[in-house]
Structures are given as structure tokens and as C-alpha cells.
Amino acid sequence: MKNLFEKKDLEKIINEYKKHNVSIDLAQRIYTSRLIGSNPNLVLHGGGNTSVKSIKKDTDGEEYEIIYVKGSGSDLSNIEPKGFPAVKMKPLKRLMKKKFITDEEMVSFIRKNLMDHTAPNPSVETLVHTIIKEKFVDHTHSNSILEITNRPDGLRLSKQLFGKNFIIIPYVMPGYLLAKKVFDMYKQNNNIHGLILFRHGIFTFADTAKESYDRMIKTVNVAEKFLKNQSKKKTFKIKNKKLAMSASEIAPVLKSYLSLKNDYILNFRSNKNLLSLINKKDIKNSLKKGVVTPDHVIRTKPEPLILNLDKCRNLDEANQILKRKFLIYKNNYIKYFDKNKNKKLQILDTVPQIILIQNMGMFSLGRNLREAIINGDVSEMSINVISKIEEKSNFKSISKKDIFDVEYWSLEQAKLKRSMGEMQGKVVIITGGVGTIGYATAKKFKANGAEVVLIDHNKEMINKINHSSKFKGYVCDVTNRKSFKKVMSNICLTYGGIDILISNAGAAFQHSIANIKDRELKKSFELNFFSHQIVASECVNNILIQKKEGCLLFNISKQSVNPGINFGAYGTPKAALLALCKQYALEYGRHGIRSNGVNADKIESGLLTKEFIIERAKARNVTINTYLKGNLLNKEVMAVDVADAFYNLAMSKKTTAAILTVDGGNIEASFR
Ligand code: ZN
């Protein structure tokens, strides 16, 4: 592992932060924390923690000894000053004199001693950082250290490799108990470079940021060198086979077994290395042994679900296997819970968080896409570590009881309980997604926690969307079923399937009805009617496979009930679309799929451009303002109003075959 410390980079950061009144101590802390955070072999996605001890003046004018510790919710790779809450040290040190306090009491006490009461919770390992006398402390879950400690002879090896400068701390649950253990052992010998936390990770410390970081890299290199020189003892049989079904086909089927209490995003990945590991014949035995470091369990559950569909000739046969395997997984999880629970605990969802399909790849679950990807990254890394151990020795994890205690630890569960909005876990696709109404609707659903996919034929705008990373966008001609099917299969790979369709693509065609060219009228029907049928039918079939409730929402337009002169080419397909909306409600209501529409009017958008508004206002001899407010409420109707209507219909769980009018009031377009 390369030491990336550069004096000039450190000075640059110190000078940069000086302008923002950030102390040299904290600036140094930020620099080496980022070096650590950017190395996935040390920490992954918010894992690990670092600290620095310093002096800070409080509002009372007094100077206090404080410790800046990484706060929860921050990632070391891009951490900023606000990611390091400052806590007064003296009261924390006093805590170590207690015989026992609960972790909840510990967190509450640490919070009481924050310099800024609005700061995030400091790491659960704050007390360990406080105990250490050195100024800078770094903690990682280095893969090589885990490769050494997670084997039967891990203790002996750790002593042999690191014993001189390190204390080897036996496995203790993180939190107050671990702090207490470290306190007791460190008291007897504090002339050291760090701690090896058995089957958990490593701490290094020193009086400068550089030296603490150097010690981390140096120690990891000792481990890496040892591992490199150790020859492989075992080779594993790998069976490669081409499966009869694709990952995008199996994804919605898998989802049908996951929709219990919560909605999940199901993300797929596959690569050569991952396949070479999961295709091993006895991979199950290795991976069911447990986790490589305790805090992985909230990302991966105690073990993944491993499936082999090699012999299945079609999806039906695969489904039979899935049914059985998911049931076994569930029963085993309940058994594990019952064995280790105490009275207060409630069982979590009994579904796996990681699903490995041999000869296919990995599916990872999350409450949103980001979480699903993080869970997948953590699992992929841990499969790598476990496989490397198994090649040379035997993988040995902490006990199932210890894994359980961390999985059901209130401090870990608190991370999962934060709601991401009422649309958490829902996948929404919006056609005509980059238009004014489509985009306003996307923002509304995203703000409430949904994963939003925008579909549009506007390549330039979709590219822009994909760069901004707020939404995922696909270029697609929705009048072409093949083109839409391709997008759907990509959606299945990324999200597992869809929940809500907002069929919004459309364009106005103007001509007197007796003189319009057939070609023009057909073109309008292609976009304003058939495209809706293409996307709705594909989405309904996807939702049916997922065995979930779903919702279709159509942008219909007031033209469907209140035709305008020369708007026949637009109004007639929209009238048919109204019928289509009802037809879906009629035929799929019994499957829990709702179908509703919005009739909007006079909204400035791609359909109703500024020029067009000026023209219409002129024709009626009124000002633009009067034209736009020409409704019963005398209020201009905006794209966000349509977005609200779509959202409200999506949330109205007992409403189907309904049309919501968003036009400020127009009695001719109202329903009788
Ligand atoms: Zn840790």
C-alpha cells in the first residue's frame, strides 16, 4: 500500500482552511483522513474514524481541551470541518471510571458535551479515541489486517507480526465495552503505536497527523507482505455455465420475494473477479460463517442468499427454486433471531440483503439506490477478503451472537431508521421527463424519497441530467416498443423494477380535422396514444411479475373532454387515452395496480410555448396575463401544480379510474 502523504498537499489544505478560520490541527486532521478515506482497502463508504485533540474557546471565554472526532454520516474521503464535531475531553475521561454504562447513556453523555449542540453524533468509538494520549488517532478496517485476524491462528499471527508496537485487543462489541477494554489494556502499556482490534480493525496514533498515518500504512504493509509471501494451500473448483435467463429477467422475480414490510431497491452487478469468487463450488460454506468486521452486518446481514440456477431451463423453473430458497433463508433468519434475541427486540425484515446467483452476479438491496450500491460494495469487498483467507487458511468470523448484538444494536439500527421520505424504495419513471411538467414532477417525487428515472427523446438534455446525477435519464423513443423494452431491462438491472409510471410524453398537433393529412393524424396517435399503451403495458407486466402494488398516471389533457377548434389531432388521441386509462383501472385493479389521469390546461411548457401563448392571447384580444388566468379561480396554473396532482394521485391508495383536473377551474372541461 502506497503512502500518499505529500507535505505540499498538506500545506495547501492548511492555507486553504486558514482563510475559513479552521485551525491547523483540524486542517491536518482533514488531510490525512481524506488520504485514508480514499483507499478502499482501508475503509469503505463512511467506515473507519479519525480524531485530533486540540484546544478550543467556548462562549464562556474559557479554553477547553477538546477532541474532534469523525461524526456519523460523514465519509472520510471527502470529509469537511463540519464532519468533525468537537467534544470536551475532561467529562469523557471521567466516564471511563464508571463500571458500566449503556451505549445509549454513552451517546447521550457525549452529545451533552459537544461544543456545538447542533453537530452530528460523534463516532461510537469516540471514547477509544479519548483514552489514547497521542494527539492524532486513526482507525480503519484494513482488509489485510482482517485477513490476518479472521483466521483460527489470527491471534498468534497478530502477535508475531505486530506484537512489539501494538496491543492486540480481543474481540469486544464496539461502544462502551470496547472503550473499557482498551482503557484497561492501554493503562498497562501506553508506549505503543496502535491497537489491533481482533476481527474488527486497527488503530494507529502519534503526535503528528503524518506519523499516525505513516504507522497505519507501515503496519498494513507488514500484513500485506506477510500475505503475499504465504503460499496458497487450496484451489477451488469453479463451474462456469451460461444461464437460461438474464439478470434483468430475474430481477423483478426476485423482487416478488422481497416486498414484505418495506420497499427495496435491488441493484445488480457482475464482473469477472466477482464471478470467479462466487462460482466456486463451496462458496456457501465460506460465506455463511459471518462477517469480516462487525459493522458490515447492517449492510450485508449475517450471510448472503446464494443461488444456483444452472439447471433451470426457464423462469418458471427458476421461480420454484427461488420460492424454496427464500423460505429457507427466512426460517433460518427467524431461528437466528429467536436464539439471540432479548425481550425488547423486534425482528427486522427476514429477507437477505445480498443475493448471489452463481454464473450471474450479485443483487444488493437498499432503501434507496445509493444504499443498495454501498451494501453491494461492502459485500463485494468482504467476499474478496473471505476468499483470500480461505485460499490460505480458514475464514473465522466473530460468533453469531456477537454478529447479532451488532446487527440489533440500537446505535446501528438508528442509522437505518432515518426515514428517506414517504416514497422510500419506490421507483418512478417519467416519460417526457425533461419537459417542464415531467421535470417538475420528477423533482416532487425525488424530494419525497423516490428513485426517479427520466425518459425522453431529447439526447442533449438526458446527457445533462446524467451528468448532474440527481436523476437517472435514458434516451428513448417511446413510440417504439423495442426501444422502451431496452430501457426497462436497464431499469431492472439498476433498480429491480418499477412501481409508478408517469406517462407524460406528448406533443400538440394543430389542424382543422377535415383537412389534416392522415400521416399527421397517425403521427399524433403514435405519440399521444400508442406510446402510452406501449409504456403502460410494459410497466404493468413488470409490476405483475414483482407481485407488488403499482400505479399508472397519465397526462391526459382537458382536450379529452373539452375539445378545442383545430385541436382534433391532439384531442382525439387524448380522448382515447382517457379510455385507455380507465381500461387499465378496470382490468388490473384486482392486482393492486391503479390507473389515474391528470387533465391539465394552459400550462407554459414545451407544448404551450411562450410564442404560442402570445398568439392565443392575441387571438382572443386579451393580455397574456388574462389569458393564462382565464379560469374560475383567476389563477395561473403552473407545472408544479400538475406535479402535485400526480403526486397526490400516487399517494391516494384507494383511488383508481380517477381524473384530476388541474386547470384553475373550467366548467366546460369539468366532469359531470
Ligand atoms: Zn471500527
Side-chain angles (χ1 to χ4, degrees), residues 528-529 532 554-562 570-586 595-599 657-661 669 671:
N528 293 312
F529 175 75
H532 295 271
F554 297 94
N555 188 348
I556 299 179
S557 162
K558 73 117 196 177
Q559 293 290 332
S560 61
V561 286
N562 176 215
Y570 182 59
T572 46
K574 286 293 190 181
L577 179 58
L578 177 67
L580 185 78
C581 171
K582 290 187 180 189
Q583 198 66 35
Y584 272 103
L586 174 70
S595 173
N596 294 302
V598 168
N599 274 1
I659 308 297
L660 199 52
T661 306
F671 282 83

Side-chain angles (χ1 to χ4, degrees), residues 125 139 141 200 295:
E125 278 153 339
H139 168 48
H141 302 143
H200 173 160
D295 73 16

Side-chain angles (χ1 to χ4, degrees), residues 14 40 121 137 145 179 344 374 541 551 610:
I14 291 176
N121 272 350
V137 179
I145 300 294
K344 283 183 295 180
I374 290 178
N541 284 321
C551 182
K610 204 151 219 129

Side-chain angles (χ1 to χ4, degrees), residues 65 91 103 126 149 179 184-185 200 248 278 306 376 418 480 499 534 538 598 667:
E65 241 193 295
D103 288 327
T126 295
T149 63
D184 290 342
M185 294 183 78
H200 173 160
S248 62
I278 67 169
I306 303 167
R418 266 175 243 141
N480 181 324
D499 299 278
I534 287 171
E538 292 294 332
V598 168
I667 214 69

